[in-house]
Amino acid sequence: MRVPYVWNLFNINNSVGNKSLETKLFGNSYPSPLGLAAGFDKDCNTLNNVIKLGFGFVTGGTVTLTSRPGNPKPRVIRITKDKAIINALGFPGKGVEYSVKNLKKFQSIKRRIILSVSGTIEDEIIECIQLSKSFISAFEINISSPNTSGLKVFQNPSRLGELIEAVKKNTDKPIIIKFPPWNNSFDNKKEMIKLIETSLMTNVEGMVISNTHPKESKSIKIGRGGYSGEPIFPDTLKMLREVQAINNGCADIIACGGISSANDLWKVLACGAKAGQIYTSLVYQGPSLPSKINNGLIKLMKIAGINKINEINGEPPKI
Ligand SMILES: Cc1cc2nc3c(=O)[nH]c(=O)nc-3n(C[C@H](O)[C@H](O)[C@H](O)COP(=O)(O)O)c2cc1C
């Protein structure tokens, strides 16, 4: 993605600019509901090129205040037969100041960049925000990496509430919280719903539902990681419906987890999400995927006789 110019070719057919894909998210306007998920470009090196593939918005990071080596290798594996990945990267990165140097170069796309930030104490996150807030359109706060143990402190409702309030005193940019997935075990689900309710009470503008799913693996050095890709898509839909039941439209929901086609994007939008982010499907299907999804969504909308993203409803029409 670092090679310049090549990616301009993708601009020709990615349908970014087609009015029917226009998406309103936390008061901002984005030219497609399809976004790049966090983790693909941790140091914000190539967001100016990745966006040309057809993304309405791109999420840089997750960045942390200081540089980090991440976990020992092997820390990423593909499970090809399932079109899935397990990763336990543990936030390797050069630190926020390095990312900010890159972001300064991308000011023409500033209003389409979301920056994912994280840390294990409030002050780290707030300093990241102060250093980068002039160069991005919104912040995504990652409290949900399964590979970074310290992050769990913010999975306590009162700590999360305090964090959001502190962050809001330091920026007027929209705040999105990226939640961990939950399962049907009663306690886990109850805890997560409580976290989401706390976020809504503190008036966050957005929520990402959700992150990778914890999974053990002998092929990963630390013995476990986060599972992503097509197999987690049914859980994404289930969680979206549960969140939508308590959200009342207060915060904009971004779906993330296993989206790999225009049909999938339609389904998450029909469940009440305002946008969807992808990572693993891009790895498997390559750089033409965002164009394919945008064009496919336009085709589905035409068949359904609608021309606005927020009119998407029910099952995708059969082609
Ligand atoms: C290799 C890899 C690295 C990731 N790094 C991050 C990260 O730094 N921050 C984050 O919030 N999510 C990270 N994620 C999670 C993705 O953003 C996304 O939530 C997850 O992969 C589910 O979406 P997908 O099935 O489309 O990949 C990472 C995922 C992968 C596969």
Side-chain angles (χ1 to χ4, degrees), residues 129 138-139 141 164 167-168 171 173-177 204-206:
I129 286 176
F139 285 108
I141 303 179
I164 297 169
V167 164
K168 280 193 164 282
T171 180
K173 292 280 155 84
I175 303 300
I176 308 156
I177 305 294
V204 289
E205 283 81 3

Side-chain angles (χ1 to χ4, degrees), residues 34 230 233 257-269 276-278 280-282 285 289-297 300 316:
L34 183 68
E230 292 186 21
F233 185 65
I259 298 169
S260 66
S261 65
N263 260 15
D264 290 350
L265 187 56
W266 175 289
K267 285 182 187 171
V268 298
L269 297 172
Q277 293 173 329
I278 59 169
T280 304
S281 57
L282 185 65
Q285 298 189 53
L289 181 64
S291 297
K292 215 166 111 190
I293 293 182
N294 282 340
N295 292 325
L297 194 64
L300 291 172

Side-chain angles (χ1 to χ4, degrees), residues 122 126 154 156-169 198 202:
E122 279 88 348
I126 286 166
F154 297 117
N156 167 299
S158 58
R159 282 296 295 276
L160 180 63
E162 282 162 20
L163 171 70
I164 297 169
E165 273 167 23
V167 164
K168 280 193 164 282
K169 283 192 191 126
T198 303
T202 46

Side-chain angles (χ1 to χ4, degrees), residues 25 51 135 181 191 225 283 286 290 318:
L25 265 181
I51 204 164
F135 312 106
E191 273 171 32
V283 172
K318 298 259 177 301

